[in-house]
mmCIF file of all heavy atoms in Angstrom:
data_model
loop_
_atom_site.group_PDB
_atom_site.id
_atom_site.type_symbol
_atom_site.label_atom_id
_atom_site.label_comp_id
_atom_site.label_asym_id
_atom_site.label_seq_id
_atom_site.Cartn_x
_atom_site.Cartn_y
_atom_site.Cartn_z
ATOM 1 N N LYS A 1453 48.468 -6.874 122.236
ATOM 2 C CA LYS A 1453 47.989 -5.626 122.813
ATOM 3 C C LYS A 1453 49.160 -4.890 123.460
ATOM 4 O O LYS A 1453 50.118 -5.505 123.918
ATOM 5 C CB LYS A 1453 46.907 -5.900 123.857
ATOM 6 C CG LYS A 1453 45.684 -6.638 123.322
ATOM 7 C CD LYS A 1453 44.855 -5.759 122.427
ATOM 8 C CE LYS A 1453 43.597 -6.473 121.959
ATOM 9 N NZ LYS A 1453 42.751 -5.642 121.083
ATOM 10 N N LYS A 1454 49.064 -3.572 123.513
ATOM 11 C CA LYS A 1454 50.201 -2.789 124.014
ATOM 12 C C LYS A 1454 49.898 -1.969 125.259
ATOM 13 O O LYS A 1454 50.820 -1.619 126.004
ATOM 14 C CB LYS A 1454 50.696 -1.857 122.903
ATOM 15 C CG LYS A 1454 51.272 -2.596 121.698
ATOM 16 C CD LYS A 1454 51.779 -1.607 120.649
ATOM 17 C CE LYS A 1454 52.375 -2.351 119.450
ATOM 18 N NZ LYS A 1454 52.868 -1.422 118.401
ATOM 19 N N SER A 1455 48.648 -1.670 125.511
ATOM 20 C CA SER A 1455 48.341 -0.715 126.575
ATOM 21 C C SER A 1455 47.278 -1.262 127.520
ATOM 22 O O SER A 1455 46.215 -1.713 127.078
ATOM 23 C CB SER A 1455 47.842 0.604 125.945
ATOM 24 O OG SER A 1455 47.398 1.493 126.931
ATOM 25 N N VAL A 1456 47.573 -1.220 128.831
ATOM 26 C CA VAL A 1456 46.622 -1.649 129.853
ATOM 27 C C VAL A 1456 46.338 -0.484 130.795
ATOM 28 O O VAL A 1456 47.267 0.151 131.312
ATOM 29 C CB VAL A 1456 47.172 -2.831 130.685
ATOM 30 C CG1 VAL A 1456 46.174 -3.220 131.777
ATOM 31 C CG2 VAL A 1456 47.450 -4.023 129.802
ATOM 32 N N ILE A 1457 45.070 -0.211 131.010
ATOM 33 C CA ILE A 1457 44.655 0.811 131.970
ATOM 34 C C ILE A 1457 43.772 0.151 133.022
ATOM 35 O O ILE A 1457 42.818 -0.559 132.689
ATOM 36 C CB ILE A 1457 43.878 1.949 131.269
ATOM 37 C CG1 ILE A 1457 44.776 2.657 130.246
ATOM 38 C CG2 ILE A 1457 43.350 2.945 132.293
ATOM 39 C CD1 ILE A 1457 44.046 3.673 129.392
ATOM 40 N N LEU A 1458 44.079 0.366 134.279
ATOM 41 C CA LEU A 1458 43.264 -0.164 135.375
ATOM 42 C C LEU A 1458 42.388 0.928 135.949
ATOM 43 O O LEU A 1458 42.817 2.073 136.113
ATOM 44 C CB LEU A 1458 44.144 -0.730 136.491
ATOM 45 C CG LEU A 1458 45.017 -1.956 136.206
ATOM 46 C CD1 LEU A 1458 45.711 -2.393 137.475
ATOM 47 C CD2 LEU A 1458 44.196 -3.092 135.633
ATOM 48 N N ILE A 1459 41.152 0.561 136.248
ATOM 49 C CA ILE A 1459 40.274 1.403 137.066
ATOM 50 C C ILE A 1459 40.076 0.646 138.374
ATOM 51 O O ILE A 1459 39.510 -0.451 138.377
ATOM 52 C CB ILE A 1459 38.920 1.663 136.384
ATOM 53 C CG1 ILE A 1459 39.122 2.300 135.012
ATOM 54 C CG2 ILE A 1459 38.049 2.555 137.267
ATOM 55 C CD1 ILE A 1459 37.829 2.514 134.241
ATOM 56 N N CYS A 1460 40.577 1.178 139.473
ATOM 57 C CA CYS A 1460 40.615 0.435 140.729
ATOM 58 C C CYS A 1460 39.846 1.144 141.838
ATOM 59 O O CYS A 1460 39.911 2.369 141.978
ATOM 60 C CB CYS A 1460 42.056 0.247 141.202
ATOM 61 S SG CYS A 1460 43.040 -0.813 140.146
ATOM 62 N N GLY A 1461 39.148 0.344 142.637
ATOM 63 C CA GLY A 1461 38.498 0.835 143.852
ATOM 64 C C GLY A 1461 38.544 -0.249 144.905
ATOM 65 O O GLY A 1461 38.260 -1.416 144.607
ATOM 66 N N PHE A 1462 38.944 0.112 146.129
ATOM 67 C CA PHE A 1462 39.104 -0.877 147.189
ATOM 68 C C PHE A 1462 38.419 -0.407 148.470
ATOM 69 O O PHE A 1462 38.285 0.801 148.717
ATOM 70 C CB PHE A 1462 40.591 -1.105 147.515
ATOM 71 C CG PHE A 1462 41.447 -1.424 146.326
ATOM 72 C CD1 PHE A 1462 42.361 -0.502 145.840
ATOM 73 C CD2 PHE A 1462 41.335 -2.642 145.685
ATOM 74 C CE1 PHE A 1462 43.157 -0.788 144.745
ATOM 75 C CE2 PHE A 1462 42.124 -2.940 144.591
ATOM 76 C CZ PHE A 1462 43.035 -2.012 144.118
ATOM 77 N N LEU A 1463 38.006 -1.350 149.268
ATOM 78 C CA LEU A 1463 37.581 -1.029 150.618
ATOM 79 C C LEU A 1463 38.821 -0.842 151.485
ATOM 80 O O LEU A 1463 39.869 -1.444 151.229
ATOM 81 C CB LEU A 1463 36.696 -2.139 151.188
ATOM 82 C CG LEU A 1463 35.385 -2.406 150.436
ATOM 83 C CD1 LEU A 1463 34.595 -3.515 151.126
ATOM 84 C CD2 LEU A 1463 34.546 -1.139 150.328
ATOM 85 N N LYS A 1464 38.722 -0.005 152.508
ATOM 86 C CA LYS A 1464 39.915 0.374 153.274
ATOM 87 C C LYS A 1464 40.463 -0.747 154.152
ATOM 88 O O LYS A 1464 41.552 -0.618 154.701
ATOM 89 C CB LYS A 1464 39.642 1.616 154.118
ATOM 90 C CG LYS A 1464 38.535 1.482 155.140
ATOM 91 C CD LYS A 1464 38.271 2.838 155.785
ATOM 92 C CE LYS A 1464 37.109 2.783 156.758
ATOM 93 N NZ LYS A 1464 36.781 4.114 157.309
ATOM 94 N N ASN A 1465 39.705 -1.868 154.287
ATOM 95 C CA ASN A 1465 40.243 -3.001 155.050
ATOM 96 C C ASN A 1465 41.018 -3.978 154.160
ATOM 97 O O ASN A 1465 41.405 -5.055 154.601
ATOM 98 C CB ASN A 1465 39.122 -3.735 155.791
ATOM 99 C CG ASN A 1465 38.093 -4.333 154.847
ATOM 100 O OD1 ASN A 1465 38.003 -3.941 153.695
ATOM 101 N ND2 ASN A 1465 37.316 -5.276 155.340
ATOM 102 N N LYS A 1466 41.247 -3.583 152.906
ATOM 103 C CA LYS A 1466 41.986 -4.441 151.970
ATOM 104 C C LYS A 1466 43.433 -3.956 151.839
ATOM 105 O O LYS A 1466 43.742 -2.788 152.070
ATOM 106 C CB LYS A 1466 41.307 -4.457 150.597
ATOM 107 C CG LYS A 1466 39.885 -5.007 150.624
ATOM 108 C CD LYS A 1466 39.849 -6.449 151.095
ATOM 109 C CE LYS A 1466 38.447 -6.999 151.148
ATOM 110 N NZ LYS A 1466 38.408 -8.395 151.625
ATOM 111 N N ASP A 1467 44.296 -4.868 151.415
ATOM 112 C CA ASP A 1467 45.717 -4.567 151.293
ATOM 113 C C ASP A 1467 46.004 -3.961 149.921
ATOM 114 O O ASP A 1467 46.573 -4.607 149.036
ATOM 115 C CB ASP A 1467 46.537 -5.848 151.514
ATOM 116 C CG ASP A 1467 48.041 -5.605 151.509
ATOM 117 O OD1 ASP A 1467 48.453 -4.422 151.444
ATOM 118 O OD2 ASP A 1467 48.796 -6.587 151.557
ATOM 119 N N ALA A 1468 45.619 -2.702 149.752
ATOM 120 C CA ALA A 1468 45.827 -2.029 148.466
ATOM 121 C C ALA A 1468 47.313 -1.915 148.146
ATOM 122 O O ALA A 1468 47.717 -2.047 146.987
ATOM 123 C CB ALA A 1468 45.190 -0.645 148.500
ATOM 124 N N PHE A 1469 48.146 -1.688 149.149
ATOM 125 C CA PHE A 1469 49.588 -1.581 148.941
ATOM 126 C C PHE A 1469 50.138 -2.887 148.358
ATOM 127 O O PHE A 1469 50.917 -2.873 147.407
ATOM 128 C CB PHE A 1469 50.280 -1.263 150.275
ATOM 129 C CG PHE A 1469 51.728 -0.891 150.131
ATOM 130 C CD1 PHE A 1469 52.105 0.418 149.901
ATOM 131 C CD2 PHE A 1469 52.722 -1.862 150.215
ATOM 132 C CE1 PHE A 1469 53.443 0.770 149.763
ATOM 133 C CE2 PHE A 1469 54.066 -1.532 150.076
ATOM 134 C CZ PHE A 1469 54.421 -0.211 149.847
ATOM 135 N N GLY A 1470 49.723 -4.016 148.928
ATOM 136 C CA GLY A 1470 50.187 -5.305 148.436
ATOM 137 C C GLY A 1470 49.659 -5.618 147.053
ATOM 138 O O GLY A 1470 50.377 -6.183 146.212
ATOM 139 N N MET A 1471 48.404 -5.263 146.780
ATOM 140 C CA MET A 1471 47.824 -5.545 145.467
ATOM 141 C C MET A 1471 48.489 -4.725 144.369
ATOM 142 O O MET A 1471 48.840 -5.243 143.314
ATOM 143 C CB MET A 1471 46.313 -5.260 145.500
ATOM 144 C CG MET A 1471 45.497 -6.329 146.194
ATOM 145 S SD MET A 1471 43.715 -6.061 146.048
ATOM 146 C CE MET A 1471 43.403 -5.021 147.469
ATOM 147 N N LEU A 1472 48.675 -3.435 144.627
ATOM 148 C CA LEU A 1472 49.219 -2.549 143.595
ATOM 149 C C LEU A 1472 50.687 -2.830 143.304
ATOM 150 O O LEU A 1472 51.208 -2.426 142.257
ATOM 151 C CB LEU A 1472 49.019 -1.090 144.014
ATOM 152 C CG LEU A 1472 47.551 -0.639 144.065
ATOM 153 C CD1 LEU A 1472 47.431 0.766 144.614
ATOM 154 C CD2 LEU A 1472 46.906 -0.726 142.684
ATOM 155 N N ASN A 1473 51.349 -3.531 144.188
ATOM 156 C CA ASN A 1473 52.732 -3.929 143.962
ATOM 157 C C ASN A 1473 52.882 -4.727 142.664
ATOM 158 O O ASN A 1473 53.916 -4.647 141.978
ATOM 159 C CB ASN A 1473 53.229 -4.762 145.148
ATOM 160 C CG ASN A 1473 54.634 -5.285 144.954
ATOM 161 O OD1 ASN A 1473 55.527 -4.533 144.576
ATOM 162 N ND2 ASN A 1473 54.831 -6.569 145.211
ATOM 163 N N TYR A 1474 51.852 -5.483 142.300
ATOM 164 C CA TYR A 1474 51.920 -6.313 141.089
ATOM 165 C C TYR A 1474 51.731 -5.509 139.809
ATOM 166 O O TYR A 1474 51.966 -6.027 138.716
ATOM 167 C CB TYR A 1474 50.876 -7.431 141.161
ATOM 168 C CG TYR A 1474 51.274 -8.523 142.119
ATOM 169 C CD1 TYR A 1474 50.763 -8.558 143.409
ATOM 170 C CD2 TYR A 1474 52.199 -9.503 141.746
ATOM 171 C CE1 TYR A 1474 51.144 -9.547 144.309
ATOM 172 C CE2 TYR A 1474 52.589 -10.490 142.635
ATOM 173 C CZ TYR A 1474 52.063 -10.505 143.911
ATOM 174 O OH TYR A 1474 52.449 -11.476 144.790
ATOM 175 N N PHE A 1475 51.317 -4.244 139.936
ATOM 176 C CA PHE A 1475 51.037 -3.453 138.739
ATOM 177 C C PHE A 1475 52.013 -2.305 138.552
ATOM 178 O O PHE A 1475 51.733 -1.349 137.820
ATOM 179 C CB PHE A 1475 49.599 -2.928 138.802
ATOM 180 C CG PHE A 1475 48.576 -4.008 138.984
ATOM 181 C CD1 PHE A 1475 47.841 -4.111 140.158
ATOM 182 C CD2 PHE A 1475 48.388 -4.960 137.999
ATOM 183 C CE1 PHE A 1475 46.915 -5.127 140.337
ATOM 184 C CE2 PHE A 1475 47.459 -5.983 138.161
ATOM 185 C CZ PHE A 1475 46.723 -6.064 139.334
ATOM 186 N N LYS A 1476 53.176 -2.407 139.190
ATOM 187 C CA LYS A 1476 54.160 -1.329 139.059
ATOM 188 C C LYS A 1476 54.894 -1.393 137.719
ATOM 189 O O LYS A 1476 55.589 -0.445 137.348
ATOM 190 C CB LYS A 1476 55.147 -1.357 140.218
ATOM 191 C CG LYS A 1476 55.917 -2.654 140.397
ATOM 192 C CD LYS A 1476 56.669 -2.649 141.707
ATOM 193 C CE LYS A 1476 57.403 -3.970 141.931
ATOM 194 N NZ LYS A 1476 58.020 -4.026 143.271
ATOM 195 N N GLN A 1477 54.715 -2.494 136.994
ATOM 196 C CA GLN A 1477 55.286 -2.615 135.654
ATOM 197 C C GLN A 1477 54.235 -3.183 134.703
ATOM 198 O O GLN A 1477 53.372 -3.953 135.112
ATOM 199 C CB GLN A 1477 56.512 -3.536 135.663
ATOM 200 C CG GLN A 1477 57.698 -2.973 136.434
ATOM 201 C CD GLN A 1477 58.886 -3.914 136.413
ATOM 202 O OE1 GLN A 1477 58.741 -5.105 136.175
ATOM 203 N NE2 GLN A 1477 60.074 -3.375 136.671
ATOM 204 N N GLY A 1478 54.336 -2.781 133.436
ATOM 205 C CA GLY A 1478 53.452 -3.328 132.409
ATOM 206 C C GLY A 1478 52.063 -2.717 132.382
ATOM 207 O O GLY A 1478 51.185 -3.218 131.674
ATOM 208 N N ILE A 1479 51.847 -1.633 133.130
ATOM 209 C CA ILE A 1479 50.547 -0.957 133.159
ATOM 210 C C ILE A 1479 50.737 0.487 132.701
ATOM 211 O O ILE A 1479 51.648 1.181 133.170
ATOM 212 C CB ILE A 1479 49.959 -0.956 134.596
ATOM 213 C CG1 ILE A 1479 49.814 -2.379 135.111
ATOM 214 C CG2 ILE A 1479 48.620 -0.231 134.631
ATOM 215 C CD1 ILE A 1479 48.833 -3.236 134.358
#
Side-chain angles (χ1 to χ4, degrees):
K1453 301 289 183 180
K1454 295 182 179 179
S1455 173
V1456 178
I1457 298 173
L1458 295 184
I1459 303 177
C1460 293
F1462 308 109
L1463 298 181
K1464 60 187 176 184
N1465 62 341
K1466 299 299 179 181
D1467 184 6
F1469 190 88
M1471 283 187 272
L1472 293 175
N1473 177 48
Y1474 285 99
F1475 305 112
K1476 58 190 178 186
Q1477 293 180 339
I1479 302 296

